[in-house]
Amino acid sequence: MEQVIYEYSSKGKKGASLPAKPVSEDTVKNYIPETLLRQTDLNLPEVSEPEVVRHFTNLSTMNHHVDKGFYPLGSCTMKYNPKINDKIAGLPGFANIHPLQPESSVQGALEMMYDLEKMLCALTGMHAATLQPAAGSHGELTGVMIIKKYHEAKGEKRKYILIPDSAHGTNPSSAYSANFETLALKSNEKGCIDINDLREKMTRDVAGLMITNPNTLGLFEEEVEQIVDIVHQHDGIVYMDGANLNALLGITCPGDLGFDITHINLHKTFSTPHGGGGPGSGPITVVKKLEKYLPEPRVIKSNNSFKLSSDFPDSIGKVIGLYGNFGVMVRAYVYVTMLGIRGLAEVSRNAILNANYLRVRLADKFAIPYNRACMHEFVASGDNHRELGIKTLDIAKRLLDFGLHAPTVYFPLIVREAIMVEPTETESKQTLDKFIEAMEQIDREAHENPDILHDAPHTTPVRRLDELKANKDLNICWVK
Ligand SMILES: *Cc1c(COP(=O)(O)O)cnc(C)c1O
């Protein structure tokens, strides 16, 4: 087990030689009031350079990450993130600018944002964009606020947002945060929205519908055009949760399917490392009739220069402090520019191919409730292993022993013992085969040696955690 870095510390040990202080203590006292001066030394670890390097290298391999191994965490699109993105986002012209600098000195940054908005509109088939939201869920909230404003501008106060029972939890929570109530739509036996249920529930009290397409089962909503029409007949707004955009790039887009608003998880589809809760970005794009409600300030171009304009009287206002998560935008810009529309279409085709390969190969041993051609992910189930006393959680924990991250488990809620697999396009057939072999071995163990599954994982730095206790009995400790 790796120690806390303070445990390597001993008095006087040094990792770097610093130049002599450029100003004397006396000079400092002339400029900084006594009350603000530190009375005791700062408590920093005193360690050598190799100790620092080894400490952080060891820590970085204790957890699983995309650069270490396969990460088929469904719905999260844990693809490999090209290092060139980081390199370019780290260029001084991007990394060292300040959000409050005069606009004339950040023209390049504003132009990048302006162009990225245009690219995202083209890729989603929409008219206008905002880059402000800091996550997919934040994009949802922004979108739902726009839906609210759209109806209010017409003097209507609508109460409900419709959401399918297969939806990601952020959809109802975004609707609720914007003071809507939610109504759940049933899924039919094919795993898609039940049109009759939609017909019944879609009234003039409903402000809009939020759906994920492909849905969280990895299935394309086959009747999407009809769904959109039904909502539009009642002047509702149709929001597409775009977290699964990795399946659609260059093939079809929310605009062509009739949606009015969509969000894009830049950190998922457009490759920013996002395991461990790192920065995200969830721009939304909208159709023309909703453009005036977008958050301000917006980047505009006039006389060949770029500026931030707040001259949008119908805007819902700001949804973030400054520009948004700029570094994530740069990475997305690099990724989209490098691949171009043909490359992006390849991304989606390969993501779909990889998912279907795994689905067909795993179907021998694992239950797959909606087993037909899927998009970029599919949902298997541990249901037929339950009679052997094995839960999906046991399967997920055992996978860690093979150096593989587990798929998403117990989501979506409409599949019992769900195992949601999203391989992404960046994995080779050899890697996919390794995953299949591990799953087949787990299936054998379930029949022959179930205890090895109950006790898993065996090889990770920590064994099975008490997740309930971790949630109920939060204990955050700081090193003094
Ligand atoms: C990831 C995800 C979200 C939320 O996006 P964040 O960027 O994590 O806030 C919403 N819906 C679906 C289907 C997702 O997979």
Side-chain angles (χ1 to χ4, degrees):
M1 180 69 75
E2 184 58 25
Q3 312 187 75
V4 174
I5 194 160
Y6 283 86
E7 295 177 49
Y8 294 105
S9 177
S10 61
K11 191 106 198 98
K13 202 174 355 167
K14 276 191 185 150
S17 315
L18 298 176
K21 285 181 197 158
V23 285
S24 71
E25 303 268 327
D26 287 343
T27 319
V28 170
K29 282 187 187 137
N30 288 341
Y31 291 98
I32 301 180
E34 187 75 33
T35 52
L36 294 181
L37 284 176
R38 189 179 296 285
Q39 301 305 320
T40 53
D41 282 346
L42 197 57
N43 181 25
L44 292 174
E46 298 184 60
V47 284
S48 70
E49 183 170 326
E51 280 168 339
V52 174
V53 172
R54 286 174 195 154
H55 173 68
F56 286 105
T57 304
N58 289 339
L59 281 184
S60 77
T61 58
M62 282 175 74
N63 230 333
H64 195 85
H65 48 89
V66 174
D67 290 347
K68 197 177 161 194
F70 187 44
Y71 208 137
L73 192 68
S75 217
C76 297
T77 311
M78 304 302 286
K79 60 170 85 179
Y80 170 75
N81 308 291
K83 299 290 169 260
I84 182 91
N85 297 354
D86 293 334
K87 197 154 185 169
I88 294 181
L91 291 177
F94 286 133
N96 296 348
I97 52 177
H98 192 279
L100 298 178
Q101 245 171 270
E103 281 164 10
S104 62
S105 68
V106 288
Q107 284 294 301
L110 293 175
E111 181 170 1
M112 188 282 295
M113 292 172 71
Y114 185 86
D115 287 348
L116 181 60
E117 284 188 0
K118 292 269 175 294
M119 289 173 184
L120 296 178
C121 286
L123 288 167
T124 54
M126 294 284 182
H127 180 74
T130 175
L131 302 176
Q132 284 189 26
S137 43
H138 195 194
E140 290 170 28
L141 177 63
T142 308
V144 178
M145 286 164 71
I146 289 176
I147 296 176
K148 181 156 233 172
K149 190 114 188 194
Y150 169 79
H151 291 296
E152 279 172 3
K154 295 186 155 192
E156 289 191 54
K157 210 165 161 25
R158 298 195 182 197
K159 200 168 161 193
Y160 300 105
I161 297 278
L162 296 179
I163 298 174
D165 55 8
S166 59
H168 195 268
T170 51
N171 293 183
S173 62
S174 297
Y176 185 78
S177 302
N179 289 325
F180 281 111
E181 284 176 42
T182 58
L183 286 177
L185 286 181
K186 282 196 278 242
S187 300
N188 60 23
E189 70 287 348
K190 292 177 87 182
C192 293
I193 287 177
D194 181 333
I195 295 266
N196 290 328
D197 197 31
L198 172 64
R199 278 215 181 86
E200 228 165 77
K201 289 178 179 150
M202 187 62 220
T203 64
R204 285 262 156 184
D205 278 336
V206 173
L209 164 69
M210 296 177 90
I211 64 173
T212 310
N213 193 31
N215 67 22
T216 59
L217 295 166
L219 301 172
F220 194 84
E221 281 291 347
E222 289 171 359
E223 296 173 296
V224 63
E225 283 165 325
Q226 223 183 320
I227 292 169
V228 165
D229 276 350
I230 294 170
V231 178
H232 281 162
Q233 276 160 22
H234 297 80
D235 194 24
I237 299 291
V238 223
Y239 183 100
M240 190 179 111
D241 177 329
N244 291 341
L245 197 65
N246 218 52
L248 304 182
L249 296 169
I251 300 174
T252 185
C253 62
D256 287 358
L257 299 173
F259 287 92
D260 303 301
I261 313 181
T262 190
H263 77 250
I264 306 127
N265 305 62
L266 294 188
H267 46 290
K268 294 181 180 173
T269 315
F270 298 127
S271 79
T272 281
H274 56 285
S281 177
I284 63 170
T285 61
V286 299
V287 291
K288 194 161 195 268
K289 72 174 177 190
L290 299 178
E291 178 179 11
K292 60 182 173 183
Y293 306 119
L294 283 173
E296 50 85 12
R298 297 181 55 196
V299 184
I300 60 166
K301 186 175 180 180
S302 71
N303 297 329
N304 264 337
S305 70
F306 298 88
K307 61 179 192 178
L308 289 167
S309 166
S310 292
D311 191 14
F312 296 98
D314 295 315
S315 164
I316 58 164
K318 263 175 165 221
V319 298
I320 203 156
L322 298 156
Y323 289 19
N325 276 332
F326 184 73
V328 183
M329 298 172 203
V330 180
R331 286 170 176 84
Y333 181 92
V334 175
Y335 185 76
V336 171
T337 318
M338 252 188 358
L339 288 172
I341 191 67
R342 284 208 196 95
L344 290 172
E346 282 286 290
V347 162
S348 289
R349 287 198 202 103
N350 286 328
I352 294 168
L353 181 64
N354 280 358
N356 279 288
Y357 177 68
L358 287 185
R359 178 181 61 81
V360 171
R361 292 280 316 268
L362 289 179
D364 284 348
K365 302 279 191 280
F366 290 84
I368 300 182
Y370 302 93
N371 194 11
R372 59 176 205 273
C374 64
M375 299 295 282
H376 66 311
E377 64 191 355
F378 64 96
V379 181
S381 162
D383 214 18
N384 59 355
H385 289 84
R386 268 176 20 146
E387 57 208 51
L388 303 168
I390 300 298
K391 291 185 292 206
T392 278
L393 188 69
D394 302 321
I395 298 171
K397 293 296 180 191
R398 181 66 175 138
L399 274 171
L400 308 181
D401 286 332
F402 296 84
L404 304 164
H405 197 281
T408 293
V409 293
Y410 300 105
F411 174 76
L413 304 177
I414 57 172
V415 172
R416 281 209 304 187
E417 299 289 315
I419 303 176
M420 183 191 213
V421 185
E422 180 182 8
T424 83
E425 73 284 0
T426 56
E427 301 303 332
S428 66
K429 181 166 176 295
Q430 285 72 18
T431 303
L432 302 182
D433 287 340
K434 213 174 122 191
F435 177 69
I436 294 163
E437 280 160 29
M439 290 293 278
E440 286 173 347
Q441 179 172 331
I442 289 171
D443 173 63
R444 274 197 304 280
E445 288 171 350
H447 290 89
E448 294 162 10
N449 185 9
D451 281 347
I452 203 167
L453 298 180
H454 293 137
D455 295 341
H458 303 268
T459 58
T460 46
V462 288
R463 301 289 298 277
R464 204 173 286 206
L465 302 175
D466 185 344
E467 286 164 23
L468 186 67
K469 185 172 164 61
N471 278 299
K472 283 189 150 176
D473 192 8
L474 196 63
N475 179 6
I476 300 173
C477 92
W478 301 97
V479 177
K480 290 222 191 70

